[in-house]
Amino acid sequence: MPFSKLGLAPALLLVLADNNYTRPYPIQQEIIPAILKNKDVLGIAPTGSGKTASYVLPILTQLQHSTAGKNRHINVLVLVPTRELAMQVKEVFHIFNASLPQKVKTLAVFGGVSVNPQMMALHGVNVLIATPGRLLELVEANAVHLSDIHTLVLDEADKMLNLGFKEEMDRIFSLLPKRRQNLLFSATLSQDVNNITQFLLRDPLVF
Ligand code: AMP
């Protein structure tokens, strides 16, 4: 099935072609329509599978229909284990955002660098990509609010748990609105990942 049949915003189709995305990878074919139907998703998928575009493309499509919310109240949170992944995900949002009639402001925040520039940059942000510890620091400083989130993505959930972020993740989950869409990606389905999956996902599409 071509990208044009998946229900994505038409403006994305040209950028897909420009970036040599000729056909959807299997994960994209399965997951994109499910995300557009607001379903929860569990994707057991390593790097290289095309998992990033499988959530970035439908999230950008969904945001084309939404109106601007309150300042510093993000709508989409992508939790990642490392600065490297945060920057990679930001780059994928950046590539596809360029073509859209309604631009989506995306920011990546992570520890190990000064927090002040990140606080300032959060102004008007809609999609936040964050490592758990730095996100909590920003929440505690009232630089960002999580009460209007409609989509939560956990990318490389297994790595986040292996790096010891379980407590921070639980704290973040407790701050999110109850009604939301949850998308969880992990290279492996360990017992720990399975526990989070049971806790977070409602009747997910499993890939
Ligand atoms: P990921 O698994 O998200 O890290 O993506 C792996 C690589 O595949 C990235 O370099 C993407 O740009 C590329 N990619 C993802 N989906 C497609 C596609 N449908 N066609 C061609 N390249 C793709």
Side-chain angles (χ1 to χ4, degrees):
M1 188 186 285
F3 274 113
S4 58
K5 293 272 160 60
L6 297 182
L8 294 169
L12 292 171
L13 300 176
L14 287 177
V15 201
L16 282 162
D18 287 348
N19 285 277
N20 299 320
Y21 283 53
T22 42
R23 290 190 72 77
Y25 286 170
I27 189 171
Q28 294 160 353
Q29 192 165 318
E30 287 277 321
I31 284 183
I32 289 172
I35 296 178
L36 290 172
K37 283 187 205 128
N38 289 319
K39 268 190 83 67
D40 282 3
V41 164
L42 169 62
I44 302 303
T47 298
S49 57
K51 68 176 167 63
T52 319
S54 79
Y55 64 82
V56 169
L57 294 166
I59 285 174
L60 286 173
T61 298
Q62 284 169 329
L63 290 172
Q64 292 306 290
H65 309 298
S66 73
T67 48
K70 285 180 274 180
N71 190 24
R72 296 185 182 273
H73 287 67
I74 54 168
N75 295 127
V76 177
L77 173 63
V78 184
L79 274 185
V80 295
T82 61
R83 170 195 180 128
E84 288 69 33
L85 185 60
M87 290 181 5
Q88 280 170 34
V89 172
K90 164 93 171 69
E91 180 58 21
V92 178
F93 271 103
H94 180 76
I95 290 169
F96 292 113
N97 186 38
S99 67
L100 292 171
Q102 188 170 325
K103 297 280 182 277
V104 174
K105 192 165 172 193
T106 304
L107 180 72
V109 295
F110 34 77
V113 295
S114 167
V115 74
N116 286 336
Q118 296 178 351
M119 282 184 183
M120 314 247 268
L122 269 159
H123 179 81
V125 164
N126 208 337
V127 175
L128 185 63
I129 304 149
T131 53
R134 178 51 58 100
L135 176 67
L136 285 173
E137 214 178 322
L138 290 162
V139 168
E140 273 147 28
N142 271 326
V144 66
H145 304 279
L146 308 184
S147 54
D148 289 347
I149 286 181
H150 57 63
T151 307
L152 169 71
V153 184
L154 300 190
D155 199 344
E156 296 192 359
D158 48 353
K159 191 160 177 185
M160 242 175 321
L161 292 167
N162 291 341
L163 289 176
F165 282 128
K166 174 81 170 64
E167 254 177 55
E168 285 92 341
M169 289 160 77
D170 286 342
R171 177 85 214 292
I172 292 164
F173 300 155
S174 76
L175 298 173
L176 301 177
K178 291 229 160 27
R179 272 178 63 90
R180 58 169 200 266
Q181 186 174 22
N182 301 289
L183 314 173
L184 190 150
F185 297 87
S186 182
T188 56
L189 190 53
S190 63
Q191 187 58 50
D192 286 346
V193 173
N194 204 27
N195 291 344
I196 300 206
T197 299
Q198 303 286 335
F199 172 71
L200 276 187
L201 306 181
R202 282 165 303 121
D203 186 25
L205 177 122
V206 181
F207 177 84

